[in-house]
Coordinates of all heavy atoms in Angstrom, one line a residue:
M1 N 91.9 100.4 103.2 CA 93.2 100.1 103.4 C 93.9 99.7 102.2 O 93.4 98.9 101.4 CB 93.3 99.0 104.5 CG 94.7 98.6 105.0 SD 94.7 97.5 106.2 CE 96.4 96.9 106.1
E2 N 95.1 100.2 102.0 CA 95.9 99.7 100.9 C 96.8 98.6 101.3 O 97.3 98.6 102.4 CB 96.9 100.9 100.4 CG 96.1 102.0 99.8 CD 97.1 103.0 99.3 OE1 98.2 102.8 98.9 OE2 96.6 104.3 99.3
Y3 N 96.9 97.6 100.5 CA 97.5 96.4 100.8 C 99.0 96.4 100.0 O 99.1 96.6 98.9 CB 96.9 95.2 100.3 CG 95.5 95.0 101.2 CD1 94.4 95.4 100.6 CD2 95.6 94.6 102.5 CE1 93.1 95.4 101.3 CE2 94.5 94.4 103.3 CZ 93.3 94.9 102.7 OH 92.1 94.8 103.4
D4 N 100.0 96.1 100.9 CA 101.3 96.0 100.3 C 101.5 94.9 99.4 O 100.9 93.9 99.4 CB 102.3 95.7 101.5 CG 103.8 95.8 101.2 OD1 104.1 95.4 100.2 OD2 104.4 96.3 102.1
V5 N 102.3 95.2 98.2 CA 102.6 94.2 97.2 C 103.2 93.0 97.8 O 102.9 92.0 97.2 CB 103.4 94.9 96.1 CG1 104.9 95.2 96.6 CG2 103.4 94.1 94.8
K6 N 103.9 93.1 98.9 CA 104.4 91.9 99.4 C 103.3 90.9 99.9 O 103.6 89.7 99.8 CB 105.4 92.3 100.6 CG 106.6 92.9 100.2 CD 107.5 93.4 101.4 CE 108.7 94.2 101.0 NZ 109.5 94.5 102.2
I7 N 102.3 91.5 100.5 CA 101.2 90.6 100.8 C 100.5 90.0 99.7 O 100.3 88.8 99.7 CB 100.2 91.4 101.7 CG1 100.7 91.9 103.1 CG2 98.9 90.7 101.9 CD1 99.9 92.9 103.8
V8 N 100.3 90.7 98.7 CA 99.7 90.2 97.4 C 100.5 89.1 96.9 O 100.0 88.0 96.5 CB 99.5 91.3 96.4 CG1 98.9 90.7 95.1 CG2 98.5 92.3 96.9
N9 N 101.9 89.4 96.9 CA 102.8 88.3 96.4 C 102.8 87.0 97.2 O 102.8 85.9 96.7 CB 104.2 88.9 96.2 CG 104.4 89.9 95.0 OD1 103.5 89.9 94.2 ND2 105.3 90.7 95.1
R10 N 102.7 87.3 98.5 CA 102.6 86.1 99.4 C 101.4 85.3 99.2 O 101.5 84.1 99.2 CB 102.7 86.7 100.9 CG 102.7 85.5 101.9 CD 102.7 86.1 103.3 NE 103.9 86.8 103.7 CZ 105.0 86.1 104.1 NH1 105.0 84.8 104.2 NH2 106.1 86.8 104.3
L11 N 100.3 85.9 99.0 CA 99.1 85.2 98.7 C 99.1 84.5 97.3 O 98.6 83.4 97.2 CB 97.8 86.1 98.8 CG 97.5 86.6 100.2 CD1 96.5 87.7 100.3 CD2 97.2 85.4 101.1
K12 N 99.7 85.1 96.3 CA 100.0 84.5 95.1 C 100.8 83.2 95.2 O 100.5 82.2 94.6 CB 100.5 85.4 94.0 CG 99.6 86.5 93.6 CD 100.2 87.4 92.6 CE 99.2 88.4 92.0 NZ 99.9 89.3 91.1
R13 N 101.8 83.3 96.0 CA 102.6 82.1 96.3 C 101.8 81.0 97.1 O 101.9 79.9 96.7 CB 103.9 82.4 97.1 CG 105.0 83.0 96.3 CD 106.3 83.1 97.0 NE 106.2 83.8 98.4 CZ 106.3 85.0 98.5 NH1 106.5 85.8 97.4 NH2 106.2 85.5 99.7
S14 N 101.0 81.4 97.9 CA 100.1 80.5 98.7 C 99.1 79.8 97.7 O 98.8 78.6 97.9 CB 99.3 81.2 99.7 OG 100.1 81.8 100.7
N15 N 98.7 80.6 96.9 CA 97.7 80.1 95.8 C 98.5 79.0 94.9 O 97.9 78.0 94.7 CB 97.1 81.2 94.9 CG 96.2 80.6 94.0 OD1 95.2 79.8 94.4 ND2 96.2 81.0 92.7
G16 N 99.6 79.3 94.6 CA 100.4 78.4 93.8 C 100.8 77.1 94.5 O 100.7 76.0 94.0
Q17 N 101.1 77.3 95.9 CA 101.2 76.1 96.7 C 100.0 75.2 96.8 O 100.0 74.0 96.7 CB 101.7 76.5 98.1 CG 103.1 77.0 98.3 CD 103.4 77.5 99.6 OE1 102.6 78.4 100.2 NE2 104.3 76.8 100.3
F18 N 98.9 75.9 96.9 CA 97.6 75.3 97.0 C 97.3 74.5 95.7 O 96.8 73.3 95.7 CB 96.5 76.1 97.4 CG 95.1 75.5 97.6 CD1 95.0 74.7 98.8 CD2 94.1 75.6 96.7 CE1 93.8 74.0 99.0 CE2 93.0 74.9 96.9 CZ 92.8 74.1 98.1
Q19 N 97.6 75.1 94.7 CA 97.3 74.5 93.3 C 98.2 73.2 93.2 O 97.9 72.2 92.6 CB 97.6 75.5 92.2 CG 96.6 76.6 92.1 CD 95.2 76.0 91.9 OE1 94.9 75.2 91.1 NE2 94.3 76.8 92.6
G20 N 99.5 73.4 93.7 CA 100.4 72.2 93.7 C 99.7 71.0 94.6 O 99.9 69.9 94.1
V21 N 99.2 71.4 95.7 CA 98.6 70.3 96.5 C 97.4 69.6 95.8 O 97.4 68.4 95.7 CB 98.1 70.9 97.8 CG1 97.2 69.9 98.6 CG2 99.2 71.4 98.8
L22 N 96.6 70.4 95.0 CA 95.6 69.7 94.3 C 96.2 68.8 93.2 O 95.7 67.7 93.0 CB 94.7 70.9 93.6 CG 93.9 71.7 94.5 CD1 93.2 72.8 93.7 CD2 92.9 70.8 95.2
K23 N 97.2 69.2 92.6 CA 97.9 68.3 91.6 C 98.5 67.1 92.3 O 98.4 66.1 91.6 CB 99.0 69.2 90.9 CG 99.7 68.4 89.8 CD 100.7 69.3 89.0 CE 101.3 68.5 87.9 NZ 102.4 69.2 87.3
M24 N 99.1 67.3 93.4 CA 99.6 66.1 94.1 C 98.5 65.2 94.4 O 98.6 63.8 94.3 CB 100.2 66.6 95.5 CG 101.5 67.3 95.4 SD 102.1 68.0 96.9 CE 102.6 66.6 97.8
I25 N 97.3 65.6 94.8 CA 96.0 64.8 95.1 C 95.7 64.1 93.9 O 95.5 62.8 93.8 CB 95.0 65.6 95.8 CG1 95.3 66.0 97.1 CG2 93.7 64.7 95.8 CD1 94.5 67.0 97.8
E26 N 95.6 64.8 92.7 CA 95.2 64.2 91.5 C 96.2 63.1 91.0 O 95.7 62.2 90.4 CB 95.0 65.4 90.4 CG 93.8 66.3 90.7 CD 93.9 67.5 89.7 OE1 94.8 67.7 89.0 OE2 92.9 68.2 89.8
E27 N 97.5 63.3 91.4 CA 98.4 62.3 90.9 C 98.5 61.1 92.0 O 99.3 60.3 91.7 CB 99.9 63.0 90.8 CG 99.9 64.1 89.7 CD 101.2 64.9 89.8 OE1 102.0 64.7 90.7 OE2 101.3 65.6 88.8
G28 N 97.8 61.3 93.0 CA 97.8 60.2 94.0 C 99.0 60.2 94.9 O 99.5 59.1 95.2
Q29 N 99.7 61.3 95.0 CA 100.9 61.3 95.9 C 100.5 60.9 97.3 O 99.4 60.9 97.7 CB 101.6 62.6 95.8 CG 102.0 62.9 94.4 CD 103.3 63.8 94.3 OE1 103.9 63.8 95.4 NE2 103.6 64.1 93.2
D30 N 101.6 60.6 98.1 CA 101.3 60.0 99.4 C 100.8 61.2 100.4 O 101.1 62.3 100.2 CB 102.7 59.5 100.0 CG 103.8 60.5 100.2 OD1 104.3 61.0 99.2 OD2 104.1 60.7 101.4
C31 N 100.2 60.6 101.4 CA 99.5 61.5 102.3 C 100.5 62.4 103.0 O 100.2 63.6 103.3 CB 98.7 60.6 103.4 SG 98.0 61.4 104.8
A32 N 101.6 61.9 103.6 CA 102.5 62.7 104.3 C 103.0 64.0 103.4 O 103.1 65.0 104.0 CB 103.7 61.8 104.7
S33 N 103.3 63.7 102.2 CA 103.8 64.9 101.3 C 102.6 65.9 101.2 O 102.8 67.1 101.3 CB 104.2 64.4 100.0 OG 105.2 63.5 100.1
I34 N 101.4 65.4 101.1 CA 100.2 66.3 100.9 C 100.1 67.1 102.2 O 99.8 68.4 102.1 CB 98.9 65.6 100.4 CG1 99.1 65.0 99.0 CG2 97.8 66.5 100.5 CD1 98.1 64.0 98.6
V35 N 100.1 66.5 103.3 CA 99.9 67.1 104.6 C 100.9 68.2 104.9 O 100.7 69.2 105.3 CB 99.7 66.2 105.7 CG1 99.7 66.8 107.1 CG2 98.5 65.2 105.6
T36 N 102.2 67.8 104.6 CA 103.3 68.8 104.6 C 103.0 70.0 103.8 O 103.3 71.1 104.3 CB 104.6 68.1 104.2 OG1 104.9 66.9 105.1 CG2 105.7 69.0 104.4
Q37 N 102.6 69.8 102.6 CA 102.4 71.0 101.7 C 101.2 71.7 102.2 O 101.2 73.0 102.2 CB 102.2 70.6 100.3 CG 103.5 70.0 99.7 CD 104.6 71.1 99.7 OE1 104.4 72.2 99.4 NE2 105.7 70.7 100.2
L38 N 100.2 71.1 102.7 CA 99.0 71.8 103.3 C 99.4 72.6 104.4 O 98.9 73.7 104.6 CB 97.8 70.9 103.7 CG 97.0 70.3 102.4 CD1 96.1 69.2 102.8 CD2 96.2 71.5 101.7
S39 N 100.3 72.2 105.3 CA 100.7 72.8 106.4 C 101.5 74.1 106.0 O 101.4 75.1 106.6 CB 101.7 72.0 107.3 OG 100.9 70.9 107.8
A40 N 102.3 74.0 105.0 CA 103.0 75.1 104.4 C 102.1 76.2 103.9 O 102.3 77.4 104.1 CB 104.0 74.7 103.3
V41 N 101.0 75.8 103.2 CA 100.0 76.7 102.7 C 99.3 77.4 103.9 O 99.1 78.7 104.0 CB 99.0 76.0 101.8 CG1 97.8 76.9 101.5 CG2 99.5 75.4 100.6
R42 N 98.9 76.7 104.9 CA 98.3 77.2 106.1 C 99.2 78.3 106.7 O 98.8 79.3 107.1 CB 97.9 76.2 107.1 CG 97.2 76.8 108.3 CD 96.7 75.8 109.2 NE 97.7 74.8 109.6 CZ 97.4 73.6 109.9 NH1 96.2 73.1 110.0 NH2 98.4 72.8 110.1
A43 N 100.5 77.9 106.8 CA 101.4 78.9 107.5 C 101.6 80.1 106.7 O 101.6 81.3 107.2 CB 102.7 78.1 107.7
S44 N 101.6 80.0 105.4 CA 101.8 81.2 104.5 C 100.6 82.1 104.6 O 100.6 83.2 104.7 CB 102.0 80.7 103.1 OG 102.2 81.8 102.3
I45 N 99.4 81.5 104.7 CA 98.2 82.3 104.8 C 98.0 82.9 106.2 O 97.7 84.1 106.3 CB 96.9 81.4 104.4 CG1 96.9 81.1 102.9 CG2 95.7 82.1 104.9 CD1 95.9 80.0 102.6
D46 N 98.5 82.2 107.2 CA 98.5 82.7 108.5 C 99.4 84.0 108.7 O 99.0 85.0 109.2 CB 98.9 81.6 109.6 CG 97.9 80.6 109.9 OD1 96.7 80.9 109.5 OD2 98.1 79.7 110.5
R47 N 100.5 83.8 107.9 CA 101.5 84.9 108.0 C 100.9 86.2 107.2 O 101.0 87.3 107.7 CB 102.8 84.6 107.3 CG 103.9 85.7 107.2 CD 104.4 86.0 108.6 NE 105.3 87.0 108.5 CZ 105.6 87.9 109.2 NH1 104.9 88.1 110.4 NH2 106.6 88.8 109.0
A48 N 100.2 86.0 106.1 CA 99.6 87.0 105.4 C 98.5 87.7 106.2 O 98.4 88.9 106.3 CB 99.0 86.6 104.0
T49 N 97.8 86.8 106.9 CA 96.7 87.3 107.8 C 97.3 88.3 108.9 O 96.7 89.4 109.2 CB 95.9 86.2 108.4 OG1 95.3 85.4 107.4 CG2 94.8 86.7 109.3
S50 N 98.2 87.8 109.4 CA 98.9 88.5 110.5 C 99.4 89.9 110.0 O 99.4 90.9 110.7 CB 100.1 87.8 111.2 OG 99.6 86.6 111.8
L51 N 100.2 89.9 108.9 CA 100.5 91.2 108.3 C 99.4 92.1 108.0 O 99.5 93.3 108.2 CB 101.4 90.9 107.0 CG 102.7 90.1 107.2 CD1 103.2 89.7 105.8 CD2 103.6 91.1 107.9
I52 N 98.4 91.6 107.5 CA 97.2 92.5 107.2 C 96.6 93.0 108.5 O 96.4 94.3 108.5 CB 96.1 91.5 106.3 CG1 96.6 91.4 105.0 CG2 94.8 92.4 106.4 CD1 95.8 90.5 104.2
V53 N 96.4 92.3 109.5 CA 95.9 92.7 110.8 C 96.9 93.7 111.3 O 96.5 94.8 111.9 CB 95.6 91.6 111.7 CG1 95.3 92.1 113.1 CG2 94.5 90.7 111.3
A54 N 98.2 93.4 111.3 CA 99.2 94.4 112.0 C 99.2 95.8 111.2 O 99.1 96.8 111.8 CB 100.5 93.7 111.9
G55 N 99.1 95.7 109.8 CA 99.0 96.9 109.0 C 97.7 97.7 109.4 O 97.7 98.9 109.4
N56 N 96.7 97.0 109.6 CA 95.4 97.7 109.9 C 95.5 98.3 111.3 O 95.1 99.4 111.5 CB 94.2 96.6 109.9 CG 92.9 97.3 110.3 OD1 92.4 98.2 109.6 ND2 92.2 96.7 111.3
L57 N 96.1 97.6 112.2 CA 96.3 98.2 113.6 C 97.2 99.4 113.6 O 96.7 100.5 114.2 CB 96.8 97.1 114.5 CG 97.2 97.5 116.0 CD1 95.9 97.9 116.6 CD2 97.7 96.4 116.7
I58 N 98.3 99.3 112.8 CA 99.1 100.5 112.8 C 98.4 101.6 112.2 O 98.4 102.8 112.8 CB 100.3 100.1 112.0 CG1 101.3 99.2 112.7 CG2 101.1 101.4 111.6 CD1 102.4 98.6 111.9
K59 N 97.7 101.4 111.1 CA 96.9 102.6 110.4 C 95.9 103.1 111.4 O 95.8 104.4 111.5 CB 96.3 102.1 109.2 CG 95.5 103.1 108.4 CD 94.9 102.6 107.2 CE 94.1 103.6 106.5 NZ 92.8 103.3 106.2
C60 N 95.1 102.3 112.1 CA 94.2 102.9 113.0 C 94.7 103.5 114.2 O 94.3 104.6 114.6 CB 93.3 101.6 113.5 SG 92.2 100.9 112.3
V61 N 95.8 103.1 114.7 CA 96.4 103.8 115.9 C 97.0 105.1 115.4 O 96.8 106.1 116.1 CB 97.6 103.0 116.5 CG1 98.5 103.8 117.4 CG2 97.0 101.7 117.2
Q62 N 97.6 105.2 114.2 CA 98.1 106.4 113.7 C 96.9 107.5 113.5 O 97.1 108.6 113.8 CB 98.8 106.2 112.3 CG 100.2 105.5 112.4 CD 100.7 105.2 111.1 OE1 100.2 105.1 110.1 NE2 102.0 105.0 111.1
E63 N 95.8 106.9 112.9 CA 94.6 107.9 112.7 C 94.2 108.3 114.0 O 93.7 109.5 114.2 CB 93.6 107.1 112.0 CG 93.8 106.9 110.6 CD 92.8 106.0 109.9 OE1 91.8 105.5 110.5 OE2 93.0 105.9 108.6
N64 N 94.1 107.5 115.1 CA 93.7 108.0 116.5 C 94.6 108.9 117.0 O 94.1 109.9 117.8 CB 93.6 106.7 117.4 CG 92.5 105.8 117.1 OD1 91.4 106.3 116.6 ND2 92.5 104.6 117.3
I65 N 95.9 108.9 116.8 CA 96.9 109.8 117.3 C 96.6 111.1 116.6 O 96.6 112.2 117.3 CB 98.3 109.3 117.1 CG1 98.6 108.1 118.0 CG2 99.3 110.5 117.2 CD1 100.0 107.5 117.7
E66 N 96.2 111.1 115.2 CA 96.0 112.3 114.6 C 94.7 112.9 115.1 O 94.6 114.3 115.1 CB 95.9 112.1 113.2 CG 97.3 111.7 112.5 CD 97.2 111.1 111.1 OE1 96.1 111.1 110.5 OE2 98.2 110.7 110.5
D67 N 93.8 112.1 115.4 CA 92.5 112.6 115.8 C 92.5 113.0 117.4 O 91.6 113.6 117.9 CB 91.3 111.6 115.7 CG 91.1 111.3 114.2 OD1 91.6 112.1 113.4 OD2 90.5 110.2 113.9
G68 N 93.5 112.6 118.1 CA 93.6 112.9 119.5 C 92.7 111.9 120.3 O 92.4 112.2 121.4
T69 N 92.2 110.7 119.8 CA 91.4 109.8 120.5 C 92.3 108.5 121.0 O 93.4 108.4 120.5 CB 90.3 109.3 119.7 OG1 90.8 108.7 118.5 CG2 89.3 110.5 119.3
T70 N 91.6 107.8 121.8 CA 92.4 106.6 122.1 C 92.3 105.5 121.2 O 91.3 105.4 120.3 CB 91.8 106.0 123.6 OG1 90.4 105.6 123.4 CG2 91.8 107.1 124.7
G71 N 93.1 104.6 121.1 CA 93.2 103.4 120.2 C 92.6 102.2 120.8 O 92.7 101.1 120.1
E72 N 91.9 102.4 121.8 CA 91.3 101.0 122.5 C 90.4 100.2 121.6 O 90.5 99.1 121.4 CB 90.6 101.4 123.8 CG 90.2 100.2 124.6 CD 89.6 100.5 125.9 OE1 90.0 101.7 126.5 OE2 88.8 99.8 126.3
E73 N 89.5 100.9 120.9 CA 88.6 100.3 120.0 C 89.3 99.7 118.8 O 89.0 98.6 118.4 CB 87.5 101.2 119.5 CG 86.4 100.6 118.7 CD 85.4 101.6 118.3 OE1 84.9 102.4 119.1 OE2 84.9 101.5 117.1
S74 N 90.3 100.4 118.2 CA 91.1 99.8 117.2 C 91.8 98.5 117.6 O 91.9 97.6 116.9 CB 92.0 100.9 116.6 OG 91.3 102.0 116.2
V75 N 92.5 98.6 118.9 CA 93.2 97.5 119.2 C 92.2 96.3 119.5 O 92.5 95.1 119.1 CB 93.9 97.8 120.6 CG1 94.5 96.6 121.1 CG2 95.0 98.8 120.4
Q76 N 91.0 96.6 120.0 CA 90.2 95.5 120.2 C 89.7 94.8 118.8 O 89.5 93.6 118.8 CB 88.9 96.0 120.9 CG 88.0 94.8 121.4 CD 88.6 93.8 122.2 OE1 89.2 94.1 123.2 NE2 88.4 92.6 121.8
Q77 N 89.4 95.7 117.9 CA 89.1 95.3 116.6 C 90.1 94.3 116.1 O 89.9 93.3 115.4 CB 88.8 96.4 115.6 CG 88.5 96.0 114.2 CD 88.4 97.2 113.3 OE1 88.9 98.3 113.6 NE2 87.9 97.0 112.1
A78 N 91.5 94.8 116.1 CA 92.6 93.9 115.6 C 92.6 92.6 116.3 O 92.8 91.6 115.8 CB 93.8 94.6 115.8
I79 N 92.3 92.6 117.7 CA 92.3 91.3 118.4 C 91.2 90.5 117.9 O 91.5 89.2 117.7 CB 92.2 91.7 119.9 CG1 93.5 92.3 120.5 CG2 91.9 90.4 120.7 CD1 93.3 92.9 121.8
N80 N 90.0 91.0 117.7 CA 88.9 90.3 117.2 C 89.2 89.6 115.8 O 88.9 88.5 115.5 CB 87.7 91.1 117.0 CG 87.2 91.5 118.4 OD1 87.6 90.9 119.4 ND2 86.3 92.6 118.5
L81 N 90.0 90.4 115.0 CA 90.4 89.8 113.6 C 91.3 88.7 113.8 O 91.2 87.7 113.1 CB 90.9 91.0 112.8 CG 90.0 92.0 112.2 CD1 90.8 93.1 111.5 CD2 89.1 91.3 111.1
L82 N 92.3 88.9 114.8 CA 93.2 87.8 114.9 C 92.5 86.6 115.4 O 92.8 85.4 115.0 CB 94.3 88.1 115.9 CG 95.5 89.1 115.3 CD1 96.4 89.5 116.5 CD2 96.2 88.3 114.3
M83 N 91.6 86.7 116.5 CA 90.8 85.6 116.9 C 90.1 84.9 115.9 O 90.0 83.7 115.9 CB 90.0 86.0 118.1 CG 90.7 86.7 119.2 SD 91.7 85.5 120.2 CE 90.4 84.7 121.0
K84 N 89.4 85.6 115.0 CA 88.6 85.1 113.9 C 89.4 84.3 112.9 O 89.0 83.2 112.4 CB 87.9 86.3 113.3 CG 86.8 85.9 112.3 CD 86.2 87.2 111.6 CE 84.9 86.7 110.9 NZ 84.3 88.0 110.4
S85 N 90.7 84.8 112.8 CA 91.6 84.1 111.8 C 92.1 82.7 112.3 O 92.6 81.9 111.5 CB 92.7 85.0 111.4 OG 93.7 85.0 112.4
R86 N 91.9 82.4 113.6 CA 92.4 81.2 114.2 C 91.4 80.0 114.1 O 90.4 79.9 114.2 CB 92.9 81.4 115.5 CG 94.0 82.4 115.7 CD 95.2 81.9 115.0 NE 96.2 82.9 114.9 CZ 97.1 83.0 113.9 NH1 97.2 82.1 113.2 NH2 97.9 84.0 113.9

């Protein structure tokens, strides 16, 4: 599967946010600020995960349509990926 540059950029931003959290910890910043930033990192990663799974599902369904088969297995695989990411 090819990954959209938007997903890569989103993950790079997430990485930058995470590095910022590490710096905050090293600087001894307050707990509330750190937890807020960690929540933002988690939300960003969750969004990237959803985009990747959705892209995979779309690709699999398109391939099934081209092959003339059902997409039930592809849909189940996408559901499993989503469940695993939670």
Side-chain angles (χ1 to χ4, degrees):
M1 179 174 165
E2 292 182 30
Y3 296 99
D4 190 318
V5 69
K6 291 178 184 178
I7 293 172
V8 173
N9 289 339
R10 179 180 294 276
L11 289 173
K12 286 180 180 180
R13 279 193 307 274
S14 298
N15 183 46
Q17 287 177 301
F18 186 73
Q19 293 301 319
V21 170
L22 289 173
K23 185 176 178 183
M24 290 171 72
I25 290 171
E26 290 169 352
E27 293 172 351
Q29 296 215 11
D30 67 290
C31 175
S33 297
I34 292 169
V35 170
T36 298
Q37 290 305 310
L38 282 171
S39 294
V41 171
R42 181 177 48 209
S44 179
I45 291 171
D46 285 347
R47 179 69 176 143
T49 301
S50 296
L51 290 171
I52 290 169
V53 171
N56 181 56
L57 179 59
I58 290 168
K59 181 178 181 237
C60 288
V61 169
Q62 287 172 339
E63 287 174 357
N64 286 333
I65 290 169
E66 291 169 4
D67 294 343
T69 60
T70 66
E72 187 175 331
E73 185 177 317
S74 299
V75 171
Q76 188 60 51
Q77 179 186 14
I79 291 169
N80 291 341
L81 286 173
L82 280 174
M83 298 292 284
K84 189 176 192 177
S85 72
R86 300 291 166 206

